[in-house]
Amino acid sequence: EPDQRLAYEKEVLGLYLSGHPLARFREEADRLRATPLGDLGQKAVGARLTLLGQVTALKEIPTKSGERMAFATLEDMSGSVELTVFPAPFKAAAGLLRSREPIVVRGRMDETDKGRVVLAEEIRPLEGAGPHPGISPGYPAGHLVARRRRWRHAASPSLWGRTPAVRSASRPRSAGSWD
């Protein structure tokens, strides 16, 4: 089986020779608009990201409040990145992080004293992971921005001219003036 051979290559040699276990998910990564890990150096701190990869290392630790969180290494075909997984997302995805299955991570880029890391906000299995919220499948990335501009233009008061204000409530003038 190819996956078993790749696992042996990684275990014995420390790298993959005959392929990469994520190679068959390239189209899926494109559909999700996943950022290749090799391109993370170009992303600004605070940038929202969608990543697709496999966890290759996991360190679970307790927080001061006793909850569990983790530091993980996520790897794809172009590189790797350290993930910081706080208690809420860790609780929801601990099993996924412990497995060797491909996962989708949504989070933010951060800079620490140890370098760049991704703060994981959501971790899902690759199966059933939809595109990033706000992105419509089948439409180009700028589609929604262009549509929003058209809506804003159509709603512009300059298209209709001056609209008189209409007073919809009244009260006796002796109680005070509305003007």
Side-chain angles (χ1 to χ4, degrees), residues 71-179:
F71 299 99
T73 302
L74 186 72
E75 183 180 285
D76 74 0
M77 293 181 296
S78 66
S80 64
V81 68
E82 295 301 312
L83 299 177
T84 301
V85 187
F86 291 110
F90 179 73
K91 187 181 226 181
L96 281 174
L97 291 169
R98 293 179 187 125
S99 76
R100 295 288 179 196
E101 296 300 313
I103 60 172
V104 176
V105 177
R106 292 196 173 110
R108 289 181 296 115
M109 179 62 71
D110 194 28
E111 187 81 39
T112 68
D113 55 342
K114 295 179 182 178
R116 291 186 156 226
V117 299
V118 173
L119 305 178
E121 297 170 347
E122 180 185 9
I123 300 170
R124 300 163 93 186
L126 179 58
E127 295 82 34
H132 195 278
I135 304 293
S136 300
Y139 292 104
H143 170 76
L144 294 177
V145 174
R147 179 181 276 180
R148 196 173 323 135
R149 283 191 193 122
R150 285 194 303 270
W151 289 336
R152 193 176 318 142
H153 179 71
S156 171
S158 64
L159 293 177
W160 304 309
R162 294 184 64 116
T163 305
V166 177
R167 194 182 294 179
S168 61
S170 63
R171 63 180 186 191
R173 289 262 184 218
S174 60
S177 173
W178 285 62
D179 296 326

Side-chain angles (χ1 to χ4, degrees), residues 35 67 171:
T35 302
E67 295 181 284
R171 63 180 186 191

